[in-house]
Amino acid sequence: MNKLEVTICGCGNGAHACAAMLSRQGHIVNIYSPLSDEIDLFKANYEQNDGLTLNIGLGNIAGLGYGMCGYSEESNIEMETYKGLKINKITDRAEEAIPGASIIIVITPAFAHRDILNNVKNYVSKNSVMVFLPSRGGLEFEVNSIIPGANVVAFQTLPWACRIKAFGKEINVSAVKNKIQAATMPKDLSPLFLYELEKLLGLKIERLKSMLTLTLANVGQIFHPGIMYGLFRNNPNATFKEEDIPLFYQNVDEEIARILSNMSEEIQSIACVLSKYDEDVECDKVLHIKDWLMASYEGVIEDTSTLQKIFNTNGAYKGVKVPVKKLDNELYAPDFGCRYIVEDIPYGLLITRSIAEMVNVKTPAIDEVLRSIGEWVNYDYLGKLKEIKELASKSRLPEFFGITATKEFI
Ligand code: NAD
């Protein structure tokens, strides 16, 4: 087998999982992060463990801290374990990690994409491809402003439900998705890249014609803010003892399922209107969340009779808890500063909401979620969006073109 050199950008859950799985297949795997502290820690722990340990199974995920968004510490699943999986380079220097890699896989929350792109931009070659696992919304604007012309494959979600068990040492992968949508830049990027990625990631890729479809098809923007809103809409100030921290997906009730379904239908309407302006936007590829769940988790959902039951009985979601923060009095409160909000609203739902306004689609369910969570975190998402839109029509601020720092400005 020909080996590929793959550089993974990021040091989080998905990066650990991807590094371990590709190393297990015999590829040359590098880990890169511009954050020196985490690279030092990763290297030290990796060396102490003599490689990465991968636990792969289906269902619940073991040994996870509360700092992570929404995962449980319970463990009730059999996992296969692979030890001593080797990484070629672990580095905070893009010049060491990027030039030799034919595939550069970025696995970070979307709020880190700009930082990664700025750090790697001078080393990405025309022959390589950048893969974003996942892209979330609006990635094309950021890539075009920082590395115009880059070859990109952008995925709609992460292929795995995964959590770090011990940083730099051990990763748990609870479930692998069957099929994922992806779009490319340029849109006619050679199918060879997708063919290789299917083999590498062990899944089917459904190719979309447009990055815009991907922005709308992102279900994280519905699930995460939508369920947080639904669970706490009557009491955002709730507190719990450690043993009472609520389950995230298993607590979706009929009303929450209805709210999520309405959000999903609103996004489908945006896609359908957009497809009239741009034939590359594929309205039928922006799936209703029920269809998305069935396509992604076929075989691990016990009861498929209603949307509520699909959430409640999905084996990959079992034991996932609400993201919480610890209070001074030993109690826990819902963490509205976690990735489910700070990634999935500004890099997801708010972008979709902005597009809705441009194409004149009303979004009452999405607005209710944004308005309420905005009140809880004291950030008026809808008001700020309105102000920015107004300013954008009257100004050429460098910020509107992705220029925010002296380096970019000069
Ligand atoms: P994570 O929170 O574990 O990633 C953290 C890593 O991102 C850090 O270790 C660092 O390497 C990088 N990072 C963060 N801020 C940065 C910055 N400012 N500059 C440079 N790098 C920075 O994330 P994850 O769990 O690996 O998830 C990655 C993506 O996949 C996210 O978009 C997430 O929503 C999505 N996702 C994850 C899961 C899962 O099971 N973990 C499931 C579905 C989707």
Side-chain angles (χ1 to χ4, degrees):
M1 180 185 84
N2 282 319
K3 287 184 183 177
L4 283 171
E5 183 164 342
V6 182
T7 291
I8 294 164
C9 301
C11 262
N13 303 297
H16 277 67
C18 189
M21 301 222 257
L22 298 190
S23 169
R24 201 187 127 206
Q25 290 177 33
H27 296 296
I28 302 164
V29 179
N30 306 316
I31 290 263
Y32 161 73
S33 166
L35 309 177
S36 306
D37 288 354
E38 70 172 3
I39 281 295
D40 291 346
L41 184 65
F42 189 105
K43 210 186 247 174
N45 289 351
Y46 166 88
E47 280 164 11
Q48 196 187 48
N49 200 48
D50 195 24
L52 282 179
T53 303
L54 167 68
N55 304 310
I56 185 157
L58 190 66
N60 203 354
I61 301 178
L64 305 156
Y66 285 115
M68 307 289 178
C69 262
Y71 269 80
S72 108
E73 286 193 331
E74 293 160 30
S75 170
N76 60 9
I77 179 184
E78 260 182 53
M79 295 217 179
E80 281 178 19
T81 295
Y82 301 86
K83 291 189 173 176
L85 300 168
K86 297 294 185 244
I87 307 295
N88 179 45
K89 289 178 197 160
I90 301 167
T91 178
D92 58 359
R93 296 166 62 92
E95 61 271 36
E96 281 178 9
I98 305 298
S102 37
I103 304 186
I104 299 152
I105 309 186
V106 181
I107 313 186
T108 63
F111 50 72
H113 288 167
R114 183 182 304 169
D115 193 17
I116 301 278
L117 285 164
N118 275 320
N119 277 286
V120 304
K121 67 180 178 192
N122 294 331
Y123 311 105
V124 174
S125 99
K126 286 197 173 69
N127 300 323
S128 63
V129 63
M130 295 193 77
V131 177
F132 287 80
L133 278 176
S135 70
R136 299 308 190 204
L139 174 72
E140 63 273 37
F141 310 131
E142 213 152 56
V143 172
N144 278 334
S145 75
I146 300 173
I147 317 186
N151 296 320
V152 167
V153 179
F155 280 82
Q156 191 256 326
T157 185
L158 193 70
W160 320 288
C162 54
R163 279 297 182 272
I164 294 168
K165 191 170 179 195
F167 189 81
K169 293 183 176 177
E170 192 164 356
I171 176 76
N172 288 346
V173 177
S174 75
V176 181
K177 295 185 181 101
N178 302 326
K179 186 163 112 179
I180 304 193
Q181 296 176 325
T184 66
M185 296 167 65
K187 76 175 188 185
D188 59 354
L189 184 76
S190 167
L192 269 178
F193 285 110
L194 298 180
Y195 178 78
E196 285 305 328
L197 283 170
E198 280 192 336
K199 284 198 286 179
L200 208 62
L201 302 171
L203 48 78
K204 282 253 156 288
I205 295 175
E206 180 183 22
R207 185 169 190 167
L208 303 177
K209 290 187 200 158
S210 152
M211 293 285 290
L212 201 44
T213 312
L214 206 60
T215 288
L216 298 172
N218 160 23
V219 294
Q221 65 183 333
I222 302 174
F223 291 177
H224 298 150
I227 297 178
M228 287 296 269
Y229 163 74
L231 292 176
F232 299 106
R233 67 193 186 284
N234 297 323
N235 186 11
N237 299 316
T239 55
F240 335 92
K241 288 189 193 149
E242 186 171 355
E243 59 274 23
D244 298 331
I245 294 169
L247 293 164
F248 192 72
Y249 297 103
Q250 285 160 278
N251 269 322
V252 168
D253 60 19
E254 212 181 315
E255 176 58 11
I256 300 176
R258 195 186 58 76
I259 294 166
L260 300 175
S261 180
N262 288 345
M263 293 171 76
S264 186
E265 281 165 18
E266 289 172 5
I267 295 175
Q268 287 186 300
S269 301
I270 300 168
C272 289
V273 174
L274 264 178
S275 69
K276 298 198 178 96
Y277 295 93
D278 178 352
E279 61 184 23
D280 281 347
V281 175
E282 297 155 282
C283 175
D284 59 331
K285 297 288 167 70
V286 178
L287 299 182
H288 188 274
I289 47 171
K290 187 172 178 192
D291 299 324
W292 183 90
L293 285 160
M294 295 296 291
S296 301
Y297 292 108
E298 194 191 347
V300 299
I301 301 169
E302 283 163 33
D303 182 346
T304 57
S305 58
T306 64
L307 180 58
Q308 180 196 350
K309 295 287 177 209
I310 289 174
F311 276 111
N312 299 162
T313 68
N314 182 344
Y317 289 162
K318 227 173 186 173
V320 176
K321 292 190 180 177
V322 163
V324 288
K325 57 184 182 200
K326 201 170 182 179
L327 305 175
D328 293 341
N329 53 6
E330 295 299 306
L331 292 175
Y332 293 81
D335 183 4
F336 297 115
C338 89
R339 211 179 59 199
Y340 285 7
I341 306 298
V342 299
E343 179 181 26
D344 287 297
I345 292 184
Y347 294 87
L349 202 54
L350 202 56
I351 298 172
T352 296
R353 173 60 175 74
S354 165
I355 298 169
E357 205 166 303
M358 290 182 213
V359 293
N360 261 325
V361 172
K362 297 280 171 249
T363 53
I366 292 173
D367 290 7
E368 174 59 18
V369 170
L370 290 174
R371 196 176 302 112
S372 297
I373 295 181
E375 274 171 26
W376 304 344
V377 300
N378 199 18
Y379 196 91
D380 180 7
Y381 292 109
L382 291 173
K384 286 188 193 295
L385 182 63
K386 196 167 167 222
E387 281 171 16
I388 286 170
K389 279 181 182 276
E390 261 172 33
L391 191 58
S393 67
K394 295 181 186 140
S395 161
R396 283 188 206 156
L397 274 183
E399 284 78 0
F400 292 132
F401 305 93
I403 302 164
T404 54
T406 324
K407 212 166 58 177
E408 296 150 14
F409 193 68
I410 303 298

